[in-house]
Amino acid sequence: NAGVMQNPRHLVRRRGQEARLRCSPMKGHSHVYWYRQLPEEGLKFMVYLQKENIIDESGMPKERFSAEFPKEGPSILRIQQVVRGDSAAYFCASSPGLGQNYFGPGTRLTVT
Amino acid sequence: SQQGEEDPQALSIQEGENATMNCSYKTSINNLQWYRQNSGRGLVHLILIRSNEREKHSGRLRVTLDTSKKSSSLLITASRAADTASYFCATDGRDRDDKIIFGKGTRLHILP
């Protein structure tokens, strides 16, 4: 059973471009969480999704950020018109429900 | 706001010594988890302790949970150089739908 997959592992974007981060949960997991880790800071919750539904997006910036978890395919975290402050590591985690979350290796986004 | 708060923020000890890290949280939980993160890598789940458990062991790791004080401790015995990493506690709360909340972590450095 493959773990949580994230791609790309590293992504470089110029200011104003769009960034798309993908997360494939573990097989059988229908819960996906996205976290952001800024340099020198802890992980911060962004959004929690179940298949085709956003359950909690309280940690998501109101503008430029969106997330989806379609019926088929990976979960996508989309950042439009990236700015330097978006540079961070973005982790997703999946879970079958209550309890343990399994994390992916993260995507390191660098905005130049 | 962050649910878990690790203490200390940074810890340096000699190889072979024991390392103790603490975590405090604010609300009712289903379980508490400890994670390790090596530099540039994803989070690795270490141990999960449920709210009705008081102590749990896994190899050189010992975790305690005191729900009355809303605190947990992670003890690493006979530390090794490979234990150098950041350690995070995370809580899976009763009041939130499966969302995991992390603290800022304790940076542990094992000196040779």
Side-chain angles (χ1 to χ4, degrees), chain A residues 7 10 13 20 28-29 42-44 56 65 75-76 97 99 109:
Chain A
N7 68 81
H10 299 273
R13 283 287 178 267
R20 280 188 179 233
H29 288 191
L43 286 147
K44 289 191 176 178
D56 183 348
F65 284 73
S75 174
I76 306 286
L109 173 65

Side-chain angles (χ1 to χ4, degrees), chain A residues 9 31 33 35 37 41-45 48 50 55-56 58 91 97-106 108, chain B residues 2 30-31 33 35 37 40-43 45 48 50 88 92-93 96-105 107:
Chain A
R9 294 293 309 277
H31 301 237
Y33 312 77
Y35 298 85
Q37 186 178 34
E41 292 190 18
L43 286 147
K44 289 191 176 178
F45 169 80
Y48 161 40
Q50 291 183 18
I55 305 303
D56 183 348
S58 59
F91 291 88
L98 285 173
Q100 188 173 331
N101 279 230
Y102 295 84
F103 281 81
R108 188 164 299 279
Chain B
Q2 287 181 323
N30 285 319
N31 60 68
Q33 304 164 43
Y35 290 80
Q37 185 179 32
R41 300 212 173 171
L43 287 150
H45 178 261
L48 180 151
R50 302 199 183 280
F88 296 85
D92 195 355
R96 296 177 303 281
D97 191 9
D98 300 342
K99 186 166 64 180
I100 262 196
I101 305 293
F102 279 87
K104 291 186 178 179
R107 292 186 304 280

